[in-house]
Amino acid sequence: MNLACKAIFISGNRILLQHRDNDKNIWSPNHWGFFGGGADLKENPEDCLIREIREELSINCKIVKKIFECMHIESNTKNIFYCTSTNDQINNLKLKEGQNFGWFSIEEISKLQITWDTKIFLNYLNNHKLQIHEL
């Protein structure tokens, strides 16, 4: 089994998403999804997420809490979603992976071409009748 960790950054009623590279060799090319990625061998989930955020956004993040986890059967990957925060400024100059990023409301996200894990997250919020500020 593989392990992947996803960062949920929240500002007001908006969530930070990455516009993934348009590369046919990656999962969900040219889609919008969460920052994060796969764990290295023997890497714990929290260290994985902190490393991935540093690599992708050139910032340090803090894990606030685990939100939920799910399996992606096709890739045999356990995905863990974490509410995260940072004191660092997030800007395009620091973006090291993906085409772009943006802050989106739930309504805006539902109109984007999104990754499977972003769909799962939206379903989680809906099924638990949660608002972004409740995470």
Side-chain angles (χ1 to χ4, degrees):
M1 177 182 68
N2 302 308
L3 174 67
C5 299
K6 315 296 180 175
I8 312 298
F9 286 99
I10 299 169
S11 180
N13 69 341
R14 297 184 176 279
I15 297 174
L16 182 67
L17 295 180
Q18 174 195 51
H19 190 192
R20 294 177 54 78
D21 289 316
N22 193 12
D23 178 351
K24 65 180 178 181
N25 297 316
I26 64 171
W27 285 94
S28 302
N30 208 34
H31 285 61
W32 288 89
F34 298 114
F35 285 94
D40 293 335
L41 192 61
K42 297 186 180 182
E43 185 176 39
N44 73 47
E46 293 82 9
D47 290 342
C48 166
L49 188 62
I50 290 168
R51 175 187 53 75
E52 285 285 341
I53 297 306
R54 193 175 306 118
E55 288 175 2
E56 295 175 1
L57 280 168
S58 304
I59 63 169
N60 295 309
C61 75
K62 176 184 172 190
I63 294 173
V64 177
K65 69 177 181 177
K66 177 179 164 182
I67 301 172
F68 77 103
E69 59 185 61
C70 67
M71 281 297 294
H72 185 254
I73 303 302
E74 187 178 340
S75 65
N76 192 33
T77 303
K78 177 180 178 180
N79 290 265
I80 305 175
F81 297 74
Y82 290 97
C83 189
T84 52
S85 67
T86 184
N87 290 327
D88 296 338
Q89 185 177 3
I90 299 173
N91 63 49
N92 276 330
L93 298 176
K94 295 182 176 184
L95 184 65
K96 301 296 182 201
E97 187 175 306
Q99 301 177 59
N100 203 350
F101 67 84
W103 294 91
F104 300 96
S105 69
I106 296 297
E107 294 77 27
E108 292 168 328
I109 292 171
S110 66
K111 297 174 185 172
L112 297 172
Q113 187 174 18
I114 56 177
T115 60
W116 74 270
D117 55 331
T118 307
K119 291 175 187 173
I120 295 292
F121 179 76
L122 294 179
N123 287 339
Y124 174 84
L125 290 179
N126 188 47
N127 291 341
H128 290 84
K129 298 181 179 20
L130 293 173
Q131 300 295 314
I132 294 300
H133 67 274
E134 296 176 299
L135 295 177

